[in-house]
Amino acid sequence: MAQGTKPMLVGAGRRDEALVSGRPWRARGSGLLAAVAAAFTLLQLLLVRPSLGLGWDEVVYVSQVGTDAPAAFFSAPRARGVPLLVWPIASWSSSTVLLRVYLAVLSGLALYLALRAWRHLFPARVLAAAGALFATLWVTLFYGPQAMPNLWVAFGALLCVGCFVRARLDRLDDRAAWGVLVGAALMSWMRPTDAVWVTLPLLVLIVAARHWRLGAALATGLAAGGIQWIIEAYVSYGGLRERLNEASRIQGDLGWNLAVDDQLRSLVGNTLCRPCDVATPHVSVYAWWFVVPLLAAYGLAVAVRAGRTARTLIPLACATTAAFPYLFLIGYAAPRFLLPAYALLAIPVAYAAFNLVTAPNGRWRPAVTAVAGLALVGHLAVQYTVLDRTVDRTTASRVEWARSAAELHRLGVRPPCLLTGHEAIPVAYYTGCHSGSMGGHNGNITRAEILETARRLPVGALTAPGRTPPGHARDWKLHRLDGMDVHIAPAPLAGGTA
């Protein structure tokens, strides 16, 4: 095994096939992938920290199954995958620390299983490097322990595409067909529209090559994960088309929108860049963003020469379609949107990197290896810096919500209660209240309903500091909170009930 391992790094055709299968790979390869996955989990716990409070979107997802507060408004683009993911913990425990640890461990396990899906296609060291490259991006680490869907779409994409390539090369690989189904279901379960974009190249290949067995597995997975979202569309939105239109409206009316520059600016740690009017960061922050496509293209060229085109071209194609809507069809940016593309690109990028640092005879190229090592160290330093600042900034905002909730409790706003207005969803969750909005993306209540509720329950209208409250709350008593104002309705009538 030791003598035959080196040529594998340069895609040496048939010799690769013997080296990526069988018992030797399982013993050594599984250990490498497990080490990467364990390091990923450990880094999440050390750098992101389990004490980080729940964010705005997390509040929406966790509140659907949690016991701390009433369920927040669930808008059209969202899917029920994350609530189901966190249900084993959130349904009985209010501990954010426990939830973070659970998600960190689960995401590490998911990374390991997703990488293993490629075990008959690439050497273990290439897959371990791909996993390490993806897992050390600040955005991957940041969202690893969070109750958000995008990273889980990325894991599903890795699993689905890897198993698709395996099943395409070996029609007798039944496990691969099941992997296609499970990966597609996971993606569709988390974000149905993202699942469609990721799998577009696979659907084209299925039709072109008449891989009907794979087509059945892929279609079944997409349907199994998305059926609840589709049923909910007819029950709550008047139909699938209506839900898609509403989702488009909430996302700023999907159409031709060049968001490449917005995504680039968001790399500095802006978890949501809407509008993205921040300055372009230093080149060191986004340099990797331009290196990755070049390395992926080189990896494809090497694969073509070695007769291994499909296993590199297919993930590249799926990464391209996964990124397309977030680069060209949406008018704002969030780094997490591109996680599925990053995960798929990691495979050909790692393959290219090993071919750059090793000669055709398998020996290391000292000069190239040294340059690559220095570049990697610099890249990791930048990723850590961005992650550290992002964690500090988000921690501060969530501490403010918790302080506001404590102050609202002191002022008599206790469950059952209602909060409306500025940042009502997260503050209401921390307070244990219902949240409401008279308009916008989360519109779910009318002025009359607010006033009716105020006769029975404590009600507060939140505004940004110094801003004018809505008309119905202008006579309510003003209190200054941590980073916001609240106008509290007169005490409910005696004997009022929830």
Side-chain angles (χ1 to χ4, degrees), residues 56-80:
W56 186 311
D57 292 288
E58 288 185 292
V59 160
V60 175
Y61 290 122
V62 173
S63 68
Q64 307 304 309
V65 295
T67 58
D68 282 3
F73 177 74
F74 206 78
S75 61
R78 302 187 188 275
R80 301 283 173 175

Side-chain angles (χ1 to χ4, degrees), residues 250-335:
I250 289 174
Q251 293 174 305
D253 293 321
L254 298 183
W256 184 255
N257 287 294
L258 185 63
V260 176
D261 55 335
D262 290 343
Q263 286 288 352
L264 185 147
R265 286 194 290 269
S266 73
L267 293 174
V268 75
N270 293 309
T271 54
L272 181 62
C273 215
R274 186 179 190 181
C276 205
D277 51 5
V278 299
T280 301
H282 189 271
V283 65
S284 61
V285 173
Y286 62 80
W288 68 272
W289 218 50
F290 295 97
V291 173
V292 163
L294 296 176
L295 283 174
Y298 176 71
L300 176 60
V302 172
V304 170
R305 290 199 303 269
R308 302 163 62 86
T309 304
R311 64 196 72 189
T312 305
L313 178 60
I314 292 175
L316 272 175
C318 291
T320 301
T321 56
F324 182 82
Y326 294 115
L327 294 177
F328 301 107
L329 298 182
I330 192 169
Y332 61 97

Side-chain angles (χ1 to χ4, degrees), residues 29-35 37 107-117 155:
S30 296
L32 281 173
L33 300 189
S107 61
L109 177 61
L111 177 64
Y112 170 76
L113 294 175
L115 291 172
R116 270 187 64 87
F155 292 144

Side-chain angles (χ1 to χ4, degrees), residues 1-381:
M1 179 65 183
Q3 292 178 349
T5 300
K6 293 180 180 178
M8 178 170 58
L9 300 177
V10 293
R14 295 179 179 177
R15 283 179 295 183
D16 291 358
E17 301 300 331
L19 294 167
V20 295
S21 61
R23 190 171 302 169
W25 196 100
R26 287 196 295 270
R28 185 177 180 183
S30 296
L32 281 173
L33 300 189
V36 170
F40 176 48
T41 293
L42 182 61
L43 286 173
Q44 292 176 55
L45 298 176
L46 291 176
L47 301 180
V48 182
R49 299 188 293 271
S51 58
L52 178 68
L54 295 180
W56 186 311
D57 292 288
E58 288 185 292
V59 160
V60 175
Y61 290 122
V62 173
S63 68
Q64 307 304 309
V65 295
T67 58
D68 282 3
F73 177 74
F74 206 78
S75 61
R78 302 187 188 275
R80 301 283 173 175
V82 173
L84 194 54
L85 182 73
V86 301
W87 175 82
I89 300 297
S91 61
W92 61 272
S93 174
S94 60
S95 172
T96 301
V97 171
L98 181 60
L99 181 63
R100 296 279 186 231
V101 172
Y102 160 76
L103 290 172
V105 173
L106 203 60
S107 61
L109 177 61
L111 177 64
Y112 170 76
L113 294 175
L115 291 172
R116 270 187 64 87
W118 296 80
R119 66 186 181 277
H120 298 310
L121 303 172
F122 289 97
R125 283 185 286 182
V126 171
L127 297 180
L133 289 172
F134 177 62
T136 52
L137 292 176
W138 76 261
V139 64
T140 309
L141 284 167
F142 184 69
Y143 285 104
Q146 297 202 45
M148 296 290 282
N150 310 86
L151 182 59
W152 293 92
V153 175
F155 292 144
L158 269 179
L159 175 62
C160 180
V161 175
C163 288
F164 181 92
V165 177
R166 278 173 46 196
R168 186 174 178 271
L169 296 176
D170 183 1
R171 294 176 182 265
L172 299 179
D173 192 342
D174 292 330
R175 290 185 180 180
W178 280 104
V180 171
L181 189 155
V182 173
L186 178 59
M187 287 189 290
S188 189
W189 183 32
M190 292 293 169
R191 288 187 70 88
T193 51
D194 283 12
V196 172
W197 281 104
V198 170
T199 57
L200 273 179
L202 308 186
L203 295 169
V204 171
L205 280 172
I206 286 168
V207 173
R210 298 183 180 181
H211 292 305
W212 306 127
R213 176 168 164 269
L214 276 180
L218 182 59
T220 301
L222 292 174
I227 189 64
Q228 189 279 331
W229 197 84
I230 295 172
I231 292 173
E232 190 177 55
Y234 285 95
V235 171
S236 303
Y237 296 91
L240 182 59
R241 181 176 180 179
E242 287 73 13
R243 183 169 194 174
L244 289 170
N245 288 338
E246 176 67 6
S248 174
R249 183 190 68 79
I250 289 174
Q251 293 174 305
D253 293 321
L254 298 183
W256 184 255
N257 287 294
L258 185 63
V260 176
D261 55 335
D262 290 343
Q263 286 288 352
L264 185 147
R265 286 194 290 269
S266 73
L267 293 174
V268 75
N270 293 309
T271 54
L272 181 62
C273 215
R274 186 179 190 181
C276 205
D277 51 5
V278 299
T280 301
H282 189 271
V283 65
S284 61
V285 173
Y286 62 80
W288 68 272
W289 218 50
F290 295 97
V291 173
V292 163
L294 296 176
L295 283 174
Y298 176 71
L300 176 60
V302 172
V304 170
R305 290 199 303 269
R308 302 163 62 86
T309 304
R311 64 196 72 189
T312 305
L313 178 60
I314 292 175
L316 272 175
C318 291
T320 301
T321 56
F324 182 82
Y326 294 115
L327 294 177
F328 301 107
L329 298 182
I330 192 169
Y332 61 97
R336 59 187 171 87
F337 292 162
L338 297 180
L339 279 169
Y342 296 154
L344 291 168
L345 285 170
I347 300 291
V349 166
Y351 185 66
F354 270 106
N355 278 275
L356 282 173
V357 300
T358 56
N361 61 4
R363 294 181 179 276
W364 296 98
R365 294 183 171 118
V368 177
T369 301
V371 172
L374 288 174
L376 182 60
V377 169
H379 169 72
L380 293 177

